[in-house]
Amino acid sequence: MKTKDKIIQASIELFNLLGERNVSTNHIAAHLNISPGNLYYHYRNKDDIIRSIYTLYEQNLDQMFQPQHSDSVGMDEMMYYVDRVFYSMWRFRFFYANLSDILARDKELHQRYLVAQKRLYSRVINSLNEMREQGYLDLDDDMIDDLAQTLKLVVTFWISYQQTQCEDEITQSTISEGVLKVICIFKGHVSDMGRNHLNQIEQNYRELMNSDDISPTLD
Amino acid sequence: MKTKDKIIQASIELFNLLGERNVSTNHIAAHLNISPGNLYYHYRNKDDIIRSIYTLYEQNLDQMFQPQHSDSVGMDEMMYYVDRVFYSMWRFRFFYANLSDILARDKELHQRYLVAQKRLYSRVINSLNEMREQGYLDLDDDMIDDLAQTLKLVVTFWISYQQTQCEDEITQSTISEGVLKVICIFKGHVSDMGRNHLNQIEQNYRELMNSDDISPTLD
């Protein structure tokens, strides 16, 4: 691995472990046994590193929103996507643990985040509309936007919420609980057909959670 | 007003305006035209000030959860309470703008927050059960806990979410939008009787929002 990439991997690891605020570029250099000068040759400062990590995260997220089983987004695809989004959040959890702070101090990153959020929002709206057309969801027009916003808020702040609500470390099972949370939010809006299908998805997911010590996936 | 109280009022004002991280005890002293030594006579450090503000906030919240119109908590009381909670959050918005950060660096404050959150959670569960008994809500037993958690998450991170989703300042209308958001979440779980009642509450609230440049209340 090149030094430039090693710096990114070590930064993700240390940020996730210790919290982004508690890790300096000097920590990162020391962790890699390289000089601070060598680190600065590759990245101007910590915010420069965070931007590069964000680029990785964005690529990761874009790759994941590929319909898996068909061209249309049904309930399985939606839940698969939710699971993948939570898994990405787990990999880059330092970012979500401190989101408003990180965005507030870097206007350029905030702009990129806003563009990505708009794209994400359109995708969620399209998926909800498709799920409604397929008869899974029972939603008035004016509730589609509202459900999309609630989902976005709950997913985005799931990690922060868990951090404020308990003193334990965030683990992969915290993340799996987030997927179940999203399933529960959908339950308020499903048709009878959707309910049976969603219960089945939930049951499969719980079995995977119990059988695995790694994150279950709906793949 | 005593110096001790003036320091608290000035701190709330500056924290809300500039963000808690960007305000030092020196800023606060300079703003009040007092010496840093005088400030330190009253408060050991910034975290000490934040704890005192948190005490104020907690008192504020406890006073607000008093049923207004009757002994039982119906839909009007619940919405009145939600409105009052958002209004408290507006007054102490710096706290919510940076919640996980502030709690992560002060274990004692985090403990107090956890105790208050448990109390709040019981109150929300009791209210939801009452609203269900009164026929407003249509909820399975296992959905009560879930709805309570979703409401708590959305309310707690509403300000942070708005900060990440737009570059504009947080205003009182951001807060009113949060109340409407909670109304929308309830819509997924109301009975027919509840729906009519909630639509009426929503309409009244929107009229108040449009007629007022101060925060509307459901009082």
Side-chain angles (χ1 to χ4, degrees):
Chain A
M1 212 188 332
K2 287 184 201 157
T3 305
K4 202 173 166 69
D5 298 329
K6 277 188 192 162
I7 293 169
I8 291 299
Q9 291 311 317
S11 301
I12 294 174
E13 202 181 307
L14 292 172
F15 289 163
N16 280 341
L17 193 67
L18 305 169
E20 174 270 326
R21 272 186 76 177
N22 302 316
V23 177
S24 66
T25 46
N26 283 349
H27 285 129
I28 300 165
H31 184 79
L32 287 169
N33 272 321
I34 63 174
S35 69
N38 193 351
L39 185 144
Y40 287 124
Y41 173 77
H42 295 287
Y43 297 98
R44 281 198 318 282
N45 50 38
K46 198 167 86 170
D47 281 348
D48 196 14
I49 295 178
I50 292 175
R51 283 186 194 174
S52 294
I53 296 176
Y54 182 76
T55 303
L56 262 188
Y57 168 67
E58 227 173 42
Q59 287 165 354
N60 201 274
L61 217 54
D62 274 338
Q63 278 162 14
M64 278 171 187
F65 204 82
Q66 310 291 342
Q68 296 297 311
H69 307 289
S70 68
D71 283 343
S72 74
V73 179
M75 192 161 260
D76 296 281
E77 282 73 24
M78 185 66 177
M79 286 307 148
Y80 172 83
Y81 178 60
V82 168
D83 177 68
R84 296 293 79 198
V85 167
F86 272 103
Y87 185 71
S88 283
M89 289 173 68
W90 166 253
R91 280 188 60 194
F92 301 93
R93 59 194 175 279
F94 77 88
F95 188 68
Y96 281 90
N98 226 2
L99 184 65
S100 20
D101 224 44
I102 291 174
L103 296 181
R105 63 171 201 256
D106 187 338
K107 292 277 168 216
E108 187 188 311
L109 190 63
H110 199 170
Q111 279 304 326
R112 286 172 56 192
Y113 180 81
L114 289 176
V115 171
Q117 285 294 301
K118 274 195 189 150
R119 204 164 56 229
L120 175 66
Y121 176 75
S122 309
R123 282 170 171 177
V124 173
I125 291 283
N126 288 343
S127 305
L128 292 179
N129 276 321
E130 282 195 52
M131 287 164 76
R132 184 169 66 163
E133 277 164 36
Q134 291 167 26
Y136 288 118
L137 295 182
D138 196 6
L139 277 172
D140 293 338
D141 279 344
D142 60 343
M143 290 294 285
I144 291 263
D145 167 75
D146 185 64
L147 179 57
Q149 294 285 358
T150 304
L151 289 170
K152 239 157 66 68
L153 193 158
V154 168
V155 173
T156 306
F157 287 98
W158 180 253
I159 290 178
S160 294
Y161 180 64
Q162 293 302 321
Q163 279 176 326
T164 61
Q165 296 300 308
C166 59
E167 292 170 293
D168 305 335
E169 293 265 311
I170 300 298
T171 63
Q172 290 212 9
S173 90
T174 315
I175 302 297
S176 305
E177 291 294 334
V179 177
L180 291 175
K181 180 79 203 151
V182 169
I183 290 177
C184 275
I185 292 174
F186 269 104
K187 279 189 184 169
H189 306 281
V190 286
S191 62
D192 288 340
M193 175 180 104
R195 190 177 322 273
N196 291 336
H197 198 79
L198 196 60
N199 284 342
Q200 192 58 53
I201 290 175
E202 183 182 358
Q203 199 185 318
N204 294 347
Y205 196 78
R206 284 189 190 276
E207 280 167 18
L208 276 163
M209 273 175 78
N210 294 333
S211 68
D212 247 334
D213 48 359
I214 59 154
S215 170
T217 78
L218 295 159
D219 197 0
Chain B
M1 215 190 326
K2 288 183 199 157
T3 305
K4 203 174 165 68
D5 298 327
K6 276 187 194 162
I7 292 169
I8 291 299
Q9 290 312 317
S11 301
I12 295 174
E13 200 180 309
L14 292 173
F15 290 163
N16 281 341
L17 194 65
L18 305 169
E20 174 269 325
R21 272 184 77 178
N22 302 315
V23 177
S24 66
T25 46
N26 283 349
H27 284 130
I28 299 165
H31 184 79
L32 286 169
N33 271 320
I34 64 175
S35 68
N38 193 351
L39 185 145
Y40 288 123
Y41 172 78
H42 295 287
Y43 298 98
R44 283 198 316 283
N45 50 37
K46 199 167 86 170
D47 282 348
D48 197 14
I49 296 177
I50 291 174
R51 284 186 194 174
S52 295
I53 295 175
Y54 181 75
T55 304
L56 261 188
Y57 169 67
E58 227 173 43
Q59 288 166 354
N60 201 273
L61 217 55
D62 275 338
Q63 278 163 14
M64 278 173 187
F65 205 81
Q66 310 291 343
Q68 296 298 311
H69 307 289
S70 67
D71 283 343
S72 73
V73 179
M75 192 161 262
D76 296 282
E77 282 73 23
M78 184 67 176
M79 287 306 147
Y80 173 82
Y81 178 59
V82 168
D83 178 67
R84 295 292 79 199
V85 167
F86 272 103
Y87 185 71
S88 283
M89 290 173 68
W90 165 253
R91 279 189 60 195
F92 300 93
R93 59 194 175 280
F94 77 89
F95 188 68
Y96 282 89
N98 226 3
L99 184 64
S100 21
D101 222 44
I102 291 173
L103 297 181
R105 65 170 201 255
D106 188 338
K107 292 275 169 218
E108 187 189 311
L109 190 63
H110 199 170
Q111 280 303 327
R112 287 173 55 193
Y113 180 80
L114 289 175
V115 171
Q117 286 293 301
K118 274 194 190 149
R119 205 163 55 229
L120 175 66
Y121 176 74
S122 309
R123 283 171 170 176
V124 173
I125 291 283
N126 288 344
S127 305
L128 292 178
N129 276 321
E130 281 196 53
M131 287 164 73
R132 184 169 66 161
E133 278 164 34
Q134 291 167 26
Y136 287 119
L137 294 183
D138 197 5
L139 276 172
D140 294 340
D141 278 345
D142 61 342
M143 290 292 287
I144 291 264
D145 168 75
D146 185 64
L147 179 57
Q149 293 285 357
T150 304
L151 289 169
K152 240 157 65 67
L153 193 158
V154 169
V155 173
T156 306
F157 287 98
W158 179 253
I159 289 178
S160 294
Y161 180 64
Q162 293 303 321
Q163 280 176 325
T164 60
Q165 297 300 310
C166 59
E167 293 171 293
D168 305 335
E169 293 266 311
I170 299 299
T171 62
Q172 291 213 10
S173 90
T174 315
I175 302 297
S176 304
E177 290 293 335
V179 177
L180 290 175
K181 180 80 203 149
V182 169
I183 290 177
C184 276
I185 291 174
F186 270 104
K187 279 189 185 171
H189 307 281
V190 285
S191 63
D192 288 340
M193 175 179 103
R195 189 177 323 274
N196 290 336
H197 198 78
L198 196 59
N199 285 341
Q200 191 59 53
I201 289 175
E202 184 183 358
Q203 197 185 319
N204 293 347
Y205 197 78
R206 285 189 190 277
E207 279 166 20
L208 276 163
M209 272 174 78
N210 294 332
S211 69
D212 248 335
D213 48 357
I214 59 155
S215 170
T217 79
L218 296 158
D219 197 2

